[in-house]
Structure formats: structure tokens, C-alpha cells
Amino acid sequence: MHSSVTNCITHSASRFYRKLLRVQFPDTFFINSYKNKHEKDYNKKSMLPTTSQHSNGALSSRDAARHTAGAKRYKYLRRLLHFRQMDFEFALWQMLYLFTSPQRVYRNFHYRKQTKDQWARDDPAFLVLLSIWLCVSTMGFGLVLDMGVLETLKLLLWVVFIDCIGVGLLISTLMWAISNKYLLKHPSREFDVEWGYTFDVHLNAFYPLLVILHFLQLFFINHLIVINSDWFLGYFVGNTLWLIAIGYYLYITFLGYNALPFLKNTVRLLYPFVPLALLYILSISLGWNFTQGLCWFYKYRVQ
């Protein structure tokens, strides 16, 4: 009887402590949760590269095969079929902090490099949640623009495979080539930017842009931006949302590459803010309405 009461009190105190830790120190709480969830991988010496006594510091053939890009890609794609192995709670934490404090998100990438010897995500939970956001926001766009079921489905396929994946693959490949050729402090095979990491940076930057342009903007399209497209307030609100969304994308992209200690001159990734600001001022002066153009383009694509 006494032991059961003691266990009950201990369990309640533990739950209270976890809730308090979640509220007061959310970053520490989720980092520890991530570490505990992957404790087995963290404790396995095989997760880190090992060297043989006669290899002069080179990776053994077994470890080299495990850390190849193909092996990492296979492991990532395989986990897409096992939802129970995905840490959706941690992915939601990342999505929240991409708006409030994106630097905290990239601290986790440092932690992954130390424990699993890779910068890119090995858990596709973030990609799955982003896909859900794409589907929901695109259906909202279809409702706002009075599209039918078939037209909304076409728009969804366009947004997922062209706007997100297609453009993402193009930008990631371009940034992978530029960073490895021009931004490395000491070009070598030991220090290079993983292509998977550049794709993760794109996804991180794409998520705030998606929420702003495909979710928040929906509440203004029919009531302010498109109907009053020739009114100053209409295109001012629409273009300002575009400025904030693209600004978020550029800034989070900069943080992603600035987090890599072996890169130099990453501040150059902030240079596009200058033409972005000039284009915003020009659009307000000339009365351009970017949101109205996006709606026209979407309607044209689904016809």
C-alpha cells in the first residue's frame, strides 16, 4: 500500500516536472527528448566513423559504406514507410521555432553531426508534416478561388511536385554546387556540404513562406487584396506579405549555411535583400499586385 502511494506520487511529480520543463525551457526539453528517443543510436559506437590502427586516420571500408550518400538516402526513404519511427513532436517543435527562433533549429543539426556524423536530417517527419501543410493550404486556395474538385487536385499536384519538390531540387543543387565551390574555407573531401543538408535548408526556409503565402494570405485575398487590386491598401497588404515571406526564406537560408563552421563569406547570402527591397518599393510605386498575379497563374495552370 505504501509503495503504491509512493509510486503514484513519484509519477505525478515526474509529469509535473516535464510539463514545467516544457514551458520554461522548450529548447532543452525537445533536445533531451530527441536524445532519449534515439538513445540506442547515440550509444552505439558504430554510428560514428571509426578508423583502423593501420589506416592513417581513414575510415574503414564498412564505415565508409555506411556513411555514403546512397546509404543515407536509402535509410531516409525507408523510414518514410515507418510512421512509428518518426519523431513528429520534435518536427512540430522545429516548425514553431522556424518562426520565433530559427537559430535553435540549426543547433539540433550540430547535435546530429556529433552523434550520427551527418548534417542532414535522418528523420522524414518534417517532410511529412510539410506535405500535410501543402495539402491543407492548397485545398484552402481552391476554396477561396472557387475551384472544383478536379481543378483543386491539379493545383495540389502542381504545388507539391513543381513549387515544392521541383524548385527545391533545383535550388538545393545550385546551392550545393555554389557552397562547395566558392564558400569552403579549405576545400577537401573531409569538409563538404551535403546535398541532403542543402535540401533540408530549403525545406526549413520554405515552410514559413508556405504559411504566409498559402495560409495567412487566404484571409485577405477575396476581401482585400484581389477584389481591391487597384486600391493602394489591396496591393500594399499583398506585396508586404510577399516581402515578409521571401525575406524569411532568405534569412533562414543564410542561417542554415552560416551554421556550418567550415564555410566562409556566408553573409553574401544576405545580398538578395537589396534587390528584394528595391522590387518591393517599385511594385508599390507602380501598383503591381503580386498576389493577383499568383491567383491568375494558378487558375491558368488548372484549366
Coordinates of all heavy atoms in Angstrom, one line a residue, residues 143-191:
L143 N -10.7 26.5 -52.5 CA -12.0 27.0 -52.0 C -12.1 28.5 -52.2 O -13.1 29.1 -52.6 CB -12.2 26.7 -50.5 CG -12.3 25.2 -50.2 CD1 -12.4 25.0 -48.7 CD2 -13.6 24.7 -50.8
V144 N -11.0 29.3 -51.8 CA -11.0 30.7 -52.0 C -11.2 31.2 -53.4 O -11.9 32.1 -53.7 CB -9.8 31.3 -51.3 CG1 -9.6 32.8 -51.7 CG2 -9.8 31.1 -49.8
L145 N -10.6 30.4 -54.3 CA -10.6 30.8 -55.8 C -11.8 30.1 -56.5 O -11.8 30.1 -57.7 CB -9.3 30.4 -56.4 CG -8.0 31.1 -55.9 CD1 -6.8 30.7 -56.7 CD2 -8.2 32.6 -56.0
D146 N -12.7 29.4 -55.7 CA -13.9 28.8 -56.3 C -13.5 27.8 -57.4 O -14.1 27.7 -58.4 CB -14.8 29.9 -56.9 CG -15.4 30.8 -55.9 OD1 -15.6 30.3 -54.7 OD2 -15.6 32.0 -56.2
M147 N -12.5 26.9 -57.1 CA -12.1 25.9 -58.0 C -12.9 24.6 -57.7 O -13.4 24.4 -56.5 CB -10.6 25.5 -57.8 CG -9.7 26.7 -58.3 SD -8.0 26.1 -58.1 CE -7.1 27.6 -58.7
G148 N -13.1 23.8 -58.7 CA -13.8 22.5 -58.5 C -12.8 21.5 -57.9 O -11.7 21.7 -57.7
V149 N -13.3 20.2 -57.7 CA -12.5 19.2 -57.1 C -11.4 18.8 -58.0 O -10.2 18.7 -57.6 CB -13.4 17.9 -56.8 CG1 -12.5 16.8 -56.3 CG2 -14.5 18.3 -55.9
L150 N -11.6 18.7 -59.3 CA -10.6 18.3 -60.3 C -9.5 19.4 -60.4 O -8.3 19.1 -60.4 CB -11.2 18.0 -61.6 CG -10.2 17.5 -62.7 CD1 -9.5 16.3 -62.3 CD2 -10.9 17.3 -64.0
E151 N -10.0 20.7 -60.4 CA -9.1 21.8 -60.5 C -8.2 21.9 -59.3 O -7.0 22.2 -59.3 CB -9.8 23.1 -60.8 CG -10.5 23.1 -62.1 CD -11.4 24.4 -62.2 OE1 -11.8 25.0 -61.2 OE2 -11.6 24.8 -63.4
T152 N -8.8 21.7 -58.1 CA -8.0 21.7 -56.9 C -7.0 20.6 -56.8 O -5.9 20.8 -56.3 CB -9.0 21.6 -55.6 OG1 -10.0 22.6 -55.7 CG2 -8.2 21.7 -54.3
L153 N -7.4 19.4 -57.3 CA -6.4 18.3 -57.4 C -5.2 18.6 -58.3 O -4.1 18.4 -57.9 CB -7.1 17.0 -57.8 CG -6.2 15.8 -58.0 CD1 -5.6 15.4 -56.6 CD2 -7.1 14.6 -58.5
K154 N -5.5 19.2 -59.4 CA -4.4 19.7 -60.3 C -3.5 20.7 -59.7 O -2.3 20.6 -59.8 CB -5.0 20.2 -61.6 CG -5.7 19.2 -62.5 CD -6.3 19.9 -63.8 CE -7.0 19.0 -64.7 NZ -7.5 19.7 -65.9
L155 N -4.2 21.6 -59.0 CA -3.4 22.6 -58.3 C -2.5 22.0 -57.2 O -1.3 22.4 -57.0 CB -4.3 23.7 -57.6 CG -3.6 24.8 -56.8 CD1 -2.7 25.6 -57.7 CD2 -4.7 25.7 -56.2
L156 N -3.0 21.0 -56.5 CA -2.3 20.3 -55.4 C -1.1 19.6 -56.0 O 0.1 19.7 -55.5 CB -3.2 19.3 -54.7 CG -2.5 18.5 -53.7 CD1 -1.9 19.3 -52.5 CD2 -3.5 17.4 -53.1
L157 N -1.3 18.9 -57.1 CA -0.1 18.3 -57.8 C 0.9 19.2 -58.3 O 2.1 19.0 -58.1 CB -0.6 17.4 -59.0 CG -1.6 16.3 -58.6 CD1 -2.1 15.6 -59.9 CD2 -0.9 15.2 -57.7
W158 N 0.5 20.4 -58.8 CA 1.4 21.4 -59.2 C 2.2 22.0 -58.1 O 3.4 22.1 -58.1 CB 0.6 22.6 -59.9 CG 1.5 23.7 -60.3 CD1 1.9 24.8 -59.5 CD2 2.2 23.9 -61.6 NE1 2.7 25.6 -60.2 CE2 3.0 25.1 -61.5 CE3 2.3 23.1 -62.7 CZ2 3.7 25.5 -62.5 CZ3 3.1 23.6 -63.8 CH2 3.8 24.8 -63.7
V159 N 1.5 22.3 -57.0 CA 2.2 22.9 -55.8 C 3.2 21.9 -55.2 O 4.3 22.3 -54.8 CB 1.2 23.4 -54.8 CG1 1.9 23.8 -53.5 CG2 0.4 24.5 -55.3
V160 N 2.8 20.6 -55.1 CA 3.7 19.7 -54.4 C 4.9 19.3 -55.3 O 6.0 19.4 -54.8 CB 2.9 18.4 -54.1 CG1 3.8 17.3 -53.6 CG2 1.8 18.7 -53.0
F161 N 4.6 19.0 -56.6 CA 5.7 18.4 -57.4 C 6.5 19.5 -58.1 O 7.7 19.3 -58.5 CB 5.1 17.4 -58.4 CG 4.6 16.2 -57.8 CD1 3.3 16.0 -57.6 CD2 5.5 15.2 -57.4 CE1 2.8 14.8 -57.0 CE2 5.1 14.0 -56.8 CZ 3.7 13.8 -56.6
I162 N 5.9 20.7 -58.3 CA 6.7 21.8 -59.0 C 7.2 22.8 -58.0 O 8.4 23.0 -57.9 CB 5.8 22.4 -60.1 CG1 5.3 21.4 -61.1 CG2 6.6 23.5 -60.8 CD1 6.4 20.7 -61.9
D163 N 6.2 23.4 -57.3 CA 6.6 24.5 -56.4 C 7.5 24.1 -55.3 O 8.5 24.8 -54.9 CB 5.4 25.2 -55.8 CG 4.6 26.0 -56.9 OD1 5.1 26.1 -58.0 OD2 3.5 26.4 -56.6
C164 N 7.2 22.9 -54.7 CA 8.0 22.5 -53.5 C 9.2 21.6 -53.9 O 10.3 21.9 -53.7 CB 7.1 21.7 -52.5 SG 7.9 21.2 -51.0
I165 N 8.8 20.4 -54.5 CA 9.9 19.4 -54.8 C 10.8 19.9 -56.0 O 12.0 19.9 -55.9 CB 9.3 18.1 -55.1 CG1 8.5 17.6 -53.9 CG2 10.4 17.1 -55.5 CD1 7.9 16.2 -54.0
G166 N 10.1 20.2 -57.1 CA 10.9 20.6 -58.3 C 11.8 21.8 -58.1 O 13.0 21.8 -58.3
V167 N 11.2 22.9 -57.6 CA 12.0 24.1 -57.3 C 13.0 23.8 -56.2 O 14.1 24.3 -56.2 CB 11.1 25.3 -57.0 CG1 11.9 26.5 -56.6 CG2 10.2 25.6 -58.1
G168 N 12.6 23.0 -55.2 CA 13.5 22.7 -54.1 C 14.7 21.9 -54.6 O 15.9 22.2 -54.2
L169 N 14.5 20.9 -55.5 CA 15.7 20.2 -56.0 C 16.6 21.1 -56.8 O 17.8 21.0 -56.8 CB 15.2 19.1 -56.9 CG 14.4 17.9 -56.2 CD1 13.9 16.9 -57.3 CD2 15.3 17.2 -55.2
L170 N 16.0 22.0 -57.6 CA 16.8 23.0 -58.4 C 17.6 23.9 -57.5 O 18.9 24.1 -57.7 CB 15.9 23.8 -59.3 CG 16.6 24.8 -60.2 CD1 17.6 24.1 -61.1 CD2 15.6 25.6 -61.0
I171 N 17.0 24.5 -56.5 CA 17.7 25.4 -55.6 C 18.7 24.7 -54.8 O 19.9 25.2 -54.6 CB 16.7 26.2 -54.7 CG1 15.8 27.1 -55.5 CG2 17.4 27.0 -53.6 CD1 14.7 27.8 -54.7
S172 N 18.4 23.5 -54.3 CA 19.3 22.7 -53.4 C 20.6 22.3 -54.2 O 21.7 22.5 -53.7 CB 18.6 21.5 -52.9 OG 17.5 21.8 -52.1
T173 N 20.4 21.9 -55.4 CA 21.5 21.5 -56.3 C 22.4 22.7 -56.6 O 23.6 22.6 -56.5 CB 21.0 20.9 -57.6 OG1 20.2 19.7 -57.3 CG2 22.2 20.4 -58.4
L174 N 21.7 23.9 -56.9 CA 22.5 25.1 -57.2 C 23.3 25.5 -55.9 O 24.5 25.9 -56.0 CB 21.5 26.2 -57.6 CG 22.2 27.5 -58.0 CD1 23.1 27.4 -59.2 CD2 21.1 28.5 -58.3
M175 N 22.7 25.5 -54.8 CA 23.4 26.0 -53.6 C 24.4 25.0 -53.1 O 25.5 25.4 -52.6 CB 22.3 26.1 -52.4 CG 21.4 27.3 -52.6 SD 22.2 28.9 -52.8 CE 23.1 29.0 -51.3
W176 N 24.2 23.7 -53.4 CA 25.2 22.7 -53.1 C 26.5 22.9 -53.9 O 27.6 22.8 -53.4 CB 24.6 21.3 -53.4 CG 25.6 20.2 -53.3 CD1 26.1 19.6 -52.2 CD2 26.2 19.5 -54.4 NE1 27.0 18.6 -52.6 CE2 27.0 18.5 -53.9 CE3 26.1 19.6 -55.8 CZ2 27.8 17.7 -54.7 CZ3 26.8 18.8 -56.6 CH2 27.6 17.8 -56.1
A177 N 26.3 23.2 -55.2 CA 27.4 23.5 -56.1 C 28.1 24.8 -55.7 O 29.4 24.8 -55.7 CB 26.9 23.5 -57.6
I178 N 27.4 25.8 -55.5 CA 28.0 27.1 -55.1 C 28.8 27.0 -53.8 O 29.9 27.5 -53.7 CB 26.9 28.2 -55.1 CG1 26.3 28.5 -56.4 CG2 27.5 29.5 -54.5 CD1 25.2 29.4 -56.5
S179 N 28.1 26.4 -52.8 CA 28.8 26.4 -51.5 C 30.0 25.5 -51.5 O 31.0 25.9 -50.8 CB 27.8 25.9 -50.4 OG 27.3 24.6 -50.8
N180 N 30.0 24.4 -52.2 CA 31.2 23.6 -52.3 C 32.3 24.1 -53.1 O 33.5 23.8 -52.9 CB 30.8 22.2 -52.8 CG 30.2 21.3 -51.7 OD1 30.7 21.2 -50.6 ND2 29.1 20.7 -52.0
K181 N 32.0 25.0 -54.0 CA 33.0 25.6 -54.9 C 33.5 26.9 -54.5 O 34.7 27.2 -54.6 CB 32.4 25.7 -56.3 CG 33.4 26.1 -57.4 CD 32.9 26.1 -58.8 CE 33.9 26.4 -59.8 NZ 33.4 26.3 -61.2
Y182 N 32.7 27.7 -53.9 CA 33.1 29.1 -53.6 C 33.1 29.5 -52.1 O 33.7 30.4 -51.7 CB 32.2 30.1 -54.3 CG 32.2 30.0 -55.8 CD1 31.1 29.4 -56.4 CD2 33.3 30.4 -56.5 CE1 31.1 29.3 -57.8 CE2 33.3 30.3 -57.9 CZ 32.2 29.7 -58.5 OH 32.2 29.6 -59.9
L183 N 32.4 28.7 -51.2 CA 32.3 29.1 -49.8 C 33.1 28.2 -48.8 O 33.1 28.6 -47.7 CB 30.8 29.0 -49.4 CG 29.8 29.9 -50.2 CD1 28.4 29.8 -49.6 CD2 30.3 31.4 -50.1
L184 N 33.7 27.2 -49.3 CA 34.5 26.4 -48.4 C 35.8 27.1 -48.0 O 36.5 27.7 -48.8 CB 34.9 25.0 -49.1 CG 33.8 24.0 -49.3 CD1 34.3 22.8 -50.0 CD2 33.1 23.6 -48.0
K185 N 36.1 27.0 -46.7 CA 37.4 27.7 -46.2 C 38.6 26.9 -46.7 O 39.5 27.5 -47.1 CB 37.4 27.7 -44.7 CG 36.3 28.6 -44.0 CD 36.4 28.5 -42.5 CE 35.4 29.5 -41.9 NZ 35.4 29.4 -40.4
H186 N 38.5 25.6 -46.6 CA 39.6 24.7 -47.1 C 39.0 23.6 -47.9 O 38.6 22.5 -47.3 CB 40.4 24.2 -45.9 CG 40.9 25.2 -44.9 ND1 41.9 26.1 -45.3 CD2 40.5 25.6 -43.7 CE1 42.1 26.9 -44.2 NE2 41.3 26.6 -43.3
P187 N 38.9 23.7 -49.2 CA 38.3 22.7 -50.0 C 39.0 21.3 -49.8 O 40.2 21.2 -50.0 CB 38.5 23.2 -51.4 CG 38.6 24.7 -51.2 CD 39.4 24.9 -49.9
S188 N 38.3 20.3 -49.5 CA 38.8 19.0 -49.3 C 37.6 18.0 -49.3 O 36.5 18.4 -49.1 CB 39.7 18.9 -48.0 OG 38.9 19.0 -46.9
R189 N 37.9 16.7 -49.3 CA 36.9 15.7 -49.3 C 36.3 15.6 -47.9 O 35.2 15.1 -47.7 CB 37.4 14.4 -49.8 CG 37.8 14.4 -51.2 CD 38.2 13.0 -51.7 NE 38.6 13.0 -53.1 CZ 39.0 11.9 -53.8 NH1 39.1 10.8 -53.1 NH2 39.2 11.9 -55.1
E190 N 37.1 16.0 -46.9 CA 36.7 15.8 -45.5 C 35.6 16.9 -45.1 O 34.8 16.6 -44.2 CB 37.9 15.9 -44.5 CG 38.9 14.8 -44.7 CD 40.1 14.9 -43.8 OE1 40.1 15.9 -42.9 OE2 41.0 14.1 -43.8
F191 N 35.7 18.0 -45.7 CA 34.8 19.1 -45.4 C 34.0 19.5 -46.7 O 34.6 20.2 -47.5 CB 35.5 20.3 -44.8 CG 36.2 20.0 -43.5 CD1 37.6 19.8 -43.5 CD2 35.5 20.0 -42.3 CE1 38.2 19.5 -42.3 CE2 36.2 19.7 -41.1 CZ 37.5 19.5 -41.1

